[in-house]
Coordinates of all heavy atoms in Angstrom, one line a residue:
G16 N 3.2 17.0 -13.0 CA 3.2 18.4 -12.7 C 4.3 19.1 -13.4 O 4.2 20.3 -13.9
G46 N -15.6 83.8 -37.8 CA -16.6 83.3 -38.7 C -16.4 81.8 -39.2 O -17.1 81.4 -40.1
L67 N -0.2 44.3 -36.1 CA 0.0 43.6 -37.4 C 1.4 44.0 -37.9 O 2.0 45.0 -37.7 CB -1.1 44.1 -38.4 CG -2.5 43.9 -38.0 CD1 -3.5 44.4 -39.0 CD2 -2.8 42.4 -37.7
Q89 N -9.8 53.0 -31.8 CA -10.3 53.5 -30.5 C -9.2 54.3 -29.8 O -9.4 55.3 -29.1 CB -10.7 52.4 -29.6 CG -12.0 51.7 -30.1 CD -12.5 50.6 -29.2 OE1 -12.2 50.7 -27.9 NE2 -13.2 49.6 -29.7
A92 N -8.9 57.8 -31.9 CA -10.1 58.7 -31.9 C -9.9 59.9 -31.0 O -10.1 61.1 -31.5 CB -11.4 58.0 -31.6
P110 N -17.2 66.0 -31.0 CA -17.4 64.6 -31.4 C -18.9 64.5 -31.8 O -19.8 65.1 -31.2 CB -17.1 63.8 -30.2 CG -17.2 64.7 -29.1 CD -16.9 66.1 -29.6
S113 N -21.6 63.9 -29.1 CA -22.1 65.0 -28.3 C -22.8 66.1 -29.1 O -23.5 66.9 -28.5 CB -20.9 65.6 -27.5 OG -20.0 66.2 -28.3
D134 N 6.4 46.9 -41.4 CA 6.8 46.3 -42.6 C 8.2 45.8 -42.5 O 9.2 46.6 -42.4 CB 6.6 47.3 -43.8 CG 6.9 46.6 -45.1 OD1 7.2 45.4 -45.1 OD2 6.9 47.3 -46.1
D165 N -0.6 59.1 -45.7 CA 0.2 57.9 -45.6 C 1.5 58.3 -45.1 O 2.3 59.1 -45.7 CB 0.3 57.3 -47.0 CG 1.0 55.9 -46.9 OD1 0.4 54.9 -46.5 OD2 2.2 55.8 -47.2
V168 N 7.5 55.6 -41.0 CA 8.6 55.9 -40.0 C 9.5 54.7 -39.8 O 9.0 53.6 -39.5 CB 8.1 56.4 -38.7 CG1 9.2 56.6 -37.7 CG2 7.3 57.7 -38.9
S172 N 14.8 49.3 -34.4 CA 15.3 47.9 -34.5 C 14.1 47.1 -35.0 O 13.0 47.6 -35.0 CB 15.8 47.4 -33.2 OG 14.8 47.5 -32.2
A182 N 5.5 53.7 -34.4 CA 4.0 54.0 -34.6 C 3.6 55.3 -34.0 O 2.8 56.1 -34.5 CB 3.2 52.8 -34.1
L193 N -3.1 66.0 -40.8 CA -4.6 66.0 -40.9 C -5.1 67.3 -40.3 O -6.0 68.0 -40.9 CB -5.2 64.8 -40.1 CG -6.7 64.8 -39.9 CD1 -7.4 64.7 -41.3 CD2 -7.1 63.7 -39.0
E199 N -6.9 74.3 -43.0 CA -6.9 75.0 -44.3 C -8.3 75.1 -44.9 O -8.7 76.2 -45.4 CB -5.9 74.3 -45.2 CG -5.8 74.9 -46.6 CD -4.9 74.2 -47.5 OE1 -4.3 73.1 -47.1 OE2 -4.8 74.5 -48.7

Side-chain angles (χ1 to χ4, degrees):
L67 304 179
Q89 292 184 28
S113 64
D134 185 1
D165 187 78
V168 174
S172 56
L193 174 64
E199 180 183 356

